[in-house]
Structures are given as C-alpha cells and as structure tokens.
Amino acid sequence: MGSTTSERDDPAEWDVVRPRRPSRVAGVDMAGFRVPALVGGLRVVPHPAVMLILEFGAGAPTVDDGAGRRHRGSLVAGPGFGSGGGVRAWGEHVECVQVRLSPVIAGMALGACPAELAGSPVSLDDLWVREASRIRERLGEIPSWEGRFAFTEAVLVRRLARRLEARTSVDPAVAWAWNRIVVSRGLLRVDHLAAELGWSRKRLWSRFHSHIGIPPKYAAKLVRFDHAVHRLVAGEGAARVAADGGYCDQSHLHRDVTALTGSTPTTVVGEPFLTVDDRAWPAVAGGSCVPRNGGCACPPCSPKLFEQGVPPRRRLPKHSRGMCP
C-alpha cells in the first residue's frame, strides 16, 4: 500500500492510498482518499471511466455539477464527468474510496446503464437505496485501507455475479469497440472502427451511445486527452505531447484541454485532482504496463475485458514487449 501527501502549496494535505495488488475484477481500479479540507473547491477533471465515490468519513463531500445542483455523499458519475471545468468538489474531513469502472462492466456492477449516468451525477442512495448506507457504515468500521479495498471489491464481485446471472451486459460488439478505443489511446478513427465491425457510422454511434453513454468520437477524445494530460503533468512539453498524441498541432491540444477542463495546458498541470490522480492510479496514468506471462496486465488491456467483446472472425489486438501500444 502506498501513501502520499500533496506537495502543492494548497492548505489541504492529501493522503492517497492505493491497493497493494490490482483488483481481481478486470476494469476496476481503486484508491483511497483522506482530505482535511477542500479549500476553494476541487476542480474535477474528466476521465474515460465511470466514477464511483464511496464516502465514510466525518464529513461527506459535496459536488457542484456546474448547473446549480449540489450532490452530497456517495455518488456515481458517467464517463467524462467534469467536462467543461465547471464541476467542483467541496468538503471537510473527507474520507472515501474512489472506484473507476470501465463502462463495459459499470452497468452490471452498478445496476444502471452508463447512458443513465450521463450528465449530472447520481446519488448512490438513490441507486442502491439501503445498501448504500450499509456500505458506508461498514467502510467506517474497517480499520485499514486494505480491508476497505477488499470489502469494496467483494461488493462489486457480488453485484457483478447477480447481474451476470440475469444476463444483462453491454453488447459484445460495443464492448469490443470500447476496448479498441482504449488500447489505441484514442487514436483509432471512428470510421475505421465501424468498418472493422462491419457497421455503418450511424449504427456504431447509436449502439455505442446507448450502451456506453457517450458517442464513440467523444470516447476517443476522452481517452486521448487522458493520456495527453498525464504526460503534461509528468513534465513533457506540449508540442511533443501533441505530436505523439494524435493531435493536429499544439493548438488542437490546447483547444481540447480547454474544452474539457476549462483550463489551458500550462495551468492544468497544477490541478490538485490531476496531481493526486497521477499518484493514485500510476499503472494507467503513467502510460505503461507491467508484463504478466508475456502479456499486458493493465486493466484496459486485460484479456478478461475482451472475453465477451470480440467481433466474429476477428483477432484480439496483440501487444509487443508487454507494453500498451
């Protein structure tokens, strides 16, 4: 288990903890957060995953969705939540487990299709009713972060098992399309993706949006942005990041970062959310993977994600040297 405190000048001291081992559920990443105070509000930076916040501290976080609505306590938000830079989180003595769920499994784990989570976040009390309060109480009783991670994983495993028995899942072809976008780091063109599936662009857009909650082009934009912004946080130059990340030029990168975060590439690297994010999710944010049995072991590339998502007569993407492409 790793723990870190923010080195920023913010009065808030972040304590961030991540599990000792990857989740045994493909498409699930977790981290624990303990924050004395979110001074001035924390800008939420969009990410290509469904976000689940399980709070259990003395003070519950409050999220202002930028449209005049505030949501307090545990919540769920769809892929890209925070786009535009208007979403901020507040609170004192906040303790929570944050879970990132691939949209491929999020519907089964949460009991709500990612398309239902688009836009404003949803209170977990509304989604899980009594189970949400029981989870909060149990997390507060568990003394260690590793115990909390294990408990959270067990909850997700149990919910996934129930949903699998009910045979509710994302369309296999849509799951395959999502994972192709992730593995390509958002560089795959939508028309090429449709051609690989033997679909029209219109059909791909309709099916993808209904199952994932966002259009395929926007999904690619989010994935591309996520890799680019973490490289910026790591100190790489904007020109190099734009050239390697599939952007037409540096201006294109600037426009995308501004549209998604409300901040420029120069200032976004100082966002506390991203600084903590980079430390809490290093396997994904760093852009590299740890080889396992000659293959890639990171959540987006795990073969388990592809088991029900391979289109007929097509092979899975191959990774060389156990690294993401």
Side-chain angles (χ1 to χ4, degrees):
M1 178 169 59
S3 177
T4 185
T5 300
S6 173
E7 297 176 356
R8 289 172 45 82
D9 293 331
D10 265 330
E13 292 183 350
W14 293 79
D15 185 22
V16 183
V17 185
R18 59 187 179 87
R20 292 193 184 100
R21 60 169 180 80
S23 174
R24 58 194 172 98
V25 183
V28 172
D29 288 299
M30 289 185 283
F33 294 83
R34 182 182 289 113
V35 189
L38 294 173
V39 179
L42 170 73
R43 191 200 307 263
V44 177
V45 177
H47 187 272
V50 173
M51 181 176 67
L52 168 63
I53 299 294
L54 301 172
E55 62 84 15
F56 58 90
T62 299
V63 174
D64 185 337
D65 65 8
R69 296 182 294 267
R70 290 196 171 186
H71 308 265
R72 181 175 171 82
S74 299
L75 58 85
V76 180
F81 177 64
S83 294
V87 177
R88 290 187 175 270
W90 311 75
E92 294 184 353
H93 308 295
V94 173
E95 290 183 282
C96 65
V97 173
Q98 181 182 357
V99 185
R100 282 179 175 166
L101 295 158
S102 165
V104 171
I105 68 165
M108 291 186 291
L110 299 174
C113 176
E116 300 174 31
L117 305 174
S120 184
V122 176
S123 168
L124 198 64
D125 288 328
D126 293 338
L127 199 61
W128 288 2
V129 196
R130 294 180 180 179
E131 186 178 5
S133 60
R134 289 196 296 266
I135 289 172
R136 185 184 190 281
E137 292 174 4
R138 183 68 185 115
L139 285 172
E141 294 169 352
I142 299 173
S144 70
W145 280 110
E146 284 301 317
R148 292 167 190 146
F149 294 140
F151 171 75
T152 301
E153 184 176 76
V155 169
L156 295 173
V157 168
R158 183 172 67 250
R159 294 185 63 86
L160 282 168
R162 290 205 302 261
R163 293 288 168 174
L164 284 173
E165 290 173 359
R167 297 182 181 180
T168 56
S169 62
V170 170
D171 183 320
V174 172
W176 181 87
W178 168 265
N179 288 309
R180 284 284 282 132
I181 290 172
V182 170
V183 171
S184 73
R185 295 188 176 181
L187 301 183
L188 187 66
R189 292 176 58 89
V190 174
D191 52 350
H192 292 169
L193 188 59
E196 289 184 15
L197 285 166
W199 288 359
S200 66
R201 285 177 59 95
K202 183 177 181 180
R203 183 182 181 188
L204 173 61
W205 190 98
S206 175
R207 299 288 289 175
F208 196 97
H209 192 277
S210 65
H211 283 267
I212 302 298
I214 54 177
K217 187 174 181 179
Y218 184 63
K221 180 179 181 177
L222 271 177
V223 171
R224 188 167 58 246
F225 157 81
D226 185 60
H227 282 282
V229 77
H230 281 100
R231 290 182 63 181
L232 292 172
V233 171
E236 296 190 47
R240 165 69 69 173
V241 171
D244 294 344
Y247 295 91
C248 298
D249 50 30
Q250 194 170 334
S251 296
H252 183 194
L253 171 64
H254 188 285
R255 289 194 300 273
D256 270 17
V257 171
T258 301
L260 288 168
T261 69
S263 182
T264 67
T266 303
T267 57
V268 76
V269 297
E271 290 290 342
F273 192 89
L274 275 174
T275 305
V276 173
D277 169 276
D278 188 45
R279 295 173 182 175
W281 319 90
V284 177
S288 62
C289 312
V290 179
R292 179 185 298 165
N293 298 328
C296 175
C298 74
C301 304
S302 172
K304 292 182 181 179
L305 279 179
F306 292 88
E307 285 177 354
Q308 297 181 351
V310 185
R313 299 180 298 281
R314 297 193 184 278
R315 295 181 179 179
L316 296 174
K318 294 181 179 179
H319 299 333
S320 61
R321 300 182 300 281
M323 303 294 285
C324 284

